[in-house]
Amino acid sequence: LRDLLGAARRVLESTFRSIAARFPPGDVWRHVYFKDKNDKYRPVQDQVYVSKVYEARAAALGFKTPLPAAVAGTRPNHLKAACFESGWRLRGAIVAAMIAATDLPMHPLVKAAKRRPELIEDLDGIAAIAGDAIHAGDGSLELSSISPVIESVYRSVAILAEIEIDETKLVRGK
């Protein structure tokens, strides 16, 4: 079951890689970096400022705010890594896509925010549960607790890919 949750997370990572390939985030990381006296970019250390940058972008797109703490607390270097595909992390990729989307009306997150303002919460929930399971092992996992996660992944990917789905037929297969 732990492997299933890891696979669910990898599906989202792949989805965001695909989005980044179509809509490269470019230098959006600079929103949370500054130039030092030697003209070198350094990450902003003020996490309150950083989270306000992320919150403003989420709100501008129409996503529900406040953002989940783990998304709002995404470190600037994780955001930058997502822009360069090095040390890739899901939350960094979500934030990179969110910042990039505010200037691109055809970006999937622009449409996704209209369709499901809670999408960032859904994505964070999947990341949290999958991360916890990967680190904790299979001991306390039951299929009944995983089904809502799989359903959320399915719904999230469908929204990001602009696929219409009948939510009454998700994991239950009715």
Side-chain angles (χ1 to χ4, degrees), residues 133-151:
I134 289 166
H135 298 295
D138 284 330
S140 62
L141 295 176
E142 294 184 22
L143 188 57
S144 61
S145 66
I146 293 175
S147 291
V149 176
I150 302 307
E151 187 173 308

Side-chain angles (χ1 to χ4, degrees), residues 36-114:
D36 67 12
K37 63 183 177 180
N38 298 319
D39 212 32
K40 184 173 180 177
Y41 281 102
R42 302 282 182 192
V44 171
Q45 299 299 317
D46 181 352
Q47 192 55 47
V48 172
Y49 171 82
V50 170
S51 65
K52 285 182 180 180
V53 170
Y54 301 162
E55 294 275 342
R57 294 303 177 120
L61 290 169
F63 285 113
K64 183 179 174 190
T65 56
L67 290 170
V71 174
T74 298
R75 293 173 32 193
N77 61 322
H78 293 174
L79 168 59
K80 186 176 180 182
C83 294
F84 291 103
E85 295 188 34
S86 62
W88 221 77
R89 294 178 188 237
L90 180 57
R91 289 184 182 102
I94 293 167
V95 171
M98 194 172 60
I99 294 172
T102 57
D103 297 325
L104 301 169
M106 296 306 295
H107 195 286
L109 284 186
V110 172
K111 297 172 183 180
K114 291 179 176 77

Side-chain angles (χ1 to χ4, degrees), residues 8-17 71 74 78 82 87-97 122-128 130 153 160:
R9 184 179 184 140
R10 286 189 301 278
V11 165
L12 291 178
E13 290 171 350
S14 177
T15 300
F16 276 90
R17 278 194 177 98
V71 174
T74 298
H78 293 174
W88 221 77
R89 294 178 188 237
L90 180 57
R91 289 184 182 102
I94 293 167
V95 171
D122 296 346
L123 296 170
D124 180 68
I126 296 162
V153 169
L160 291 166

